[in-house]
């Protein structure tokens, strides 16, 4: 049993971190370790600290981006930082970002946040089993936050 | 009590650094350490130097971006640099950027600069208490410079 | 005979990884080593781990990007990560990305995925022979996923 | 007295490097060290070499960008490289870039190049005095190449 | 006499590498070392390997980008990688990229490729002579692939 990091924000409009904690606890014996920061640009170093200071084997970086162009740019910056943090630690950090432009209603936005967080928490648990744990699902058009698109026949 | 870095610029049209100093002094026993540079692209290395040369545990990087496309690009570059500096030091650097396009009047621009700086200075103080110091505010839709959006019910 | 890494995703709508495995096995005595992750932003660290943890001499990073702007941005982030991973390891990681906007039909999308994967798997085998193994094809306007454009006379 | 690096290009349409040399010599006892490269994308490593191979304490990176979109992209790449070089060396590199789209006449372009170079050379001299040397000018809306905008009252 | 690296691609529609080899041989006693990769995103690590594994003192990274938006993005990624590789090695890598949108005819495209490659090969030879070898040409508005724009009087 290992530590799974959960980095989340006060900016998001739904407590994605709680969903991640719950999913991990209900589906594994791994220990969720929480780290809350103001916004998603604070997530990369938070994720790296979870790995290097808290011994997490994998991290979920949970964030919500506003709908303006500048928000998309900020999410881009955060994503680049998350990739860099992974390359510096050789650990996976699953970026779980939800953009306001993905839907028009608050209700659907919340549902996307829940579904995407839950599915990526399950991905994290699976990935801890080894490099080919997800290989039987390769190329299947799986989606998080939306229904799977499926493989092209 | 630790050092909190404040990196600010001569480019900004309001003395955000002074607001940060005041907020830290009034709300904690931490010591603010100031570093002023010409523009926001000079902030990443200034923040890193505050951490590595002045022993700051956390840094506020304060900047104002003009309203043209090239200014947004420069802010983007600075933000990427701030994220990189954090990953190199394992310390938080809270980017407190205000864009001229966020409002139409100078008065509001100044108010955003003050509010965002003050709230992030308080965030910095809070974050020094530990990884879960902000967790009770996770997913609450908090904003700096504008009113909170709140959690989606 | 060396290990050739194959990093692929559950997001893609066709099993590009299987095509790569098959191409390598049929055209060389090298050993394909598979690593499946959720999306293409997870590919950079997967590729780096294949090199550093599985001793791969070269890696194929296989991904499919959706047609929306945000998908193109994500592919951009992944590409930057792949380049960074190569610079950190001094090994080639051939990015084999297919974008939904490259074609209008699912059938053609699948054909591009197959052709691009197969040709880059052959490139990988060739590149293992040395720095000038591809030099007789330099400047020939070779394409993967589409017919070659050829050299300008 | 220390070395101040001046990295400039053959691409620029005015000898910004000479202006920098002159400003430094007339306003300090520091020694300007020149390094000329073809274009602004060559500036990051030139600046880093000035710091690491010539012992420069601070560097001015002088460049002019053409007016097309691709030129703006190139300037973006150069800026990111300059930020990275600073983070690797913990020294300031003041990016002094002039874009053709900033003005419509050659005469004004030249004037911007001269003014921006001169003011940033003075900034460099000032910054060598310490982290708070510019603090009395913080938030004053200072500009280089254009008149100051001033502080918002 | 030192090694000059030449990294080129099979994607380009003209053998830029051969032009570089010829220019170096005809104008210096340096030894050109060739490395051919599939596309320009493979150039950064190729250039770094030429420096670190083949002892090259400077590298020419030769590439041609298609005319679509995604091609420009790919060239952007490659350019960022080349800058990063330079910062990691403290050696110059001259990016010699030609974009299809620079001209409308194949004939002109070929001419740009030849001229830009040749002029940058000459730049490389010059730069090996020292940091001020190009200083007498600083600010002269030199161009590669097109006629010089000249200095603003």
């Amino acid at each position: 049993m290992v530590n799974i990091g959960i980095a989340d924000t006060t900016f998001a409009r739904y407590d994605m971190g709680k969903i991640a904690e719950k999913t991990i606890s209900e589906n594994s014996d791994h220990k969720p370790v929480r780290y809350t920061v103001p916004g998603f640009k604070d997530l990369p170093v938070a994720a790296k600290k979870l790995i290097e200071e808290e011994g997490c084997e994998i991290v979920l970086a949970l964030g919500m981006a506003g709908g303006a162009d500048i928000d998309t740019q900020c999410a881009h910056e955060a994503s680049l930082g998350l990739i860099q943090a992974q390359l510096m630690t050789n650990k996976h950090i699953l970026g779980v970002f939800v953009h306001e432009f993905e839907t028009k209603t608050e209700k659907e936005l919340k549902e996307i946040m829940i579904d995407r967080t839950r599915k990526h928490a399950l991905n994290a648990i699976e990935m801890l089993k080894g490099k080919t744990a997800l290989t039987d699902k390769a190329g299947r058009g799986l989606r998080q936050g939306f229904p799977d698109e499926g493989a092209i026949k």
Side-chain angles (χ1 to χ4, degrees), chain A:
Chain A
M1 298 311 101
V2 301
N3 289 353
I4 298 181
I6 298 170
D8 66 345
T9 70
T10 65
F11 183 94
R13 298 189 60 203
Y14 192 77
D15 192 346
M16 299 164 82
K18 189 177 281 179
I19 301 292
E21 281 183 325
K22 196 160 163 260
T23 308
I24 292 165
S25 299
E26 288 177 0
N27 293 278
S28 77
D29 294 325
H30 298 303
K31 185 184 159 200
V33 182
R34 192 89 174 256
Y35 193 168
T36 307
V37 294
F40 44 71
K41 289 202 275 189
D42 307 309
L43 289 171
V45 75
K48 184 154 176 277
K49 284 162 77 79
L50 281 166
I51 292 165
E52 294 181 345
E53 297 174 3
E54 308 293 331
C56 294
E57 282 299 312
I58 192 164
V59 176
L60 293 158
L62 312 172
M64 191 201 87
D69 279 359
I70 189 72
D71 298 305
T72 308
Q73 180 174 294
C74 289
H76 175 49
E77 292 155 7
S79 285
L80 287 171
L82 292 178
I83 289 173
Q84 213 171 343
Q86 292 175 76
L87 295 176
M88 291 167 94
T89 58
N90 272 12
K91 303 285 181 201
H92 281 284
I93 302 169
L94 297 179
V96 185
F97 282 12
V98 177
H99 297 263
E100 277 189 4
F101 61 65
E102 292 190 68
T103 178
K104 279 175 183 158
T105 72
E106 289 198 347
K107 186 168 168 292
E108 277 180 1
L109 193 65
K110 177 177 145 182
E111 281 164 10
I112 293 174
M113 284 195 265
I114 293 172
D115 185 66
R116 193 167 289 161
T117 302
R118 202 177 56 76
K119 284 187 183 165
H120 271 310
L122 294 174
N123 273 336
I125 294 168
E126 207 63 21
M127 289 165 81
L128 288 170
K129 295 179 187 163
K131 289 184 170 69
T132 54
L134 289 174
T135 299
D136 59 343
K137 292 174 182 164
R140 295 281 186 85
L142 301 193
R143 296 295 176 267
Q144 296 81 31
F146 289 106
D148 294 339
E149 292 207 27
I152 299 174
K153 302 296 174 191

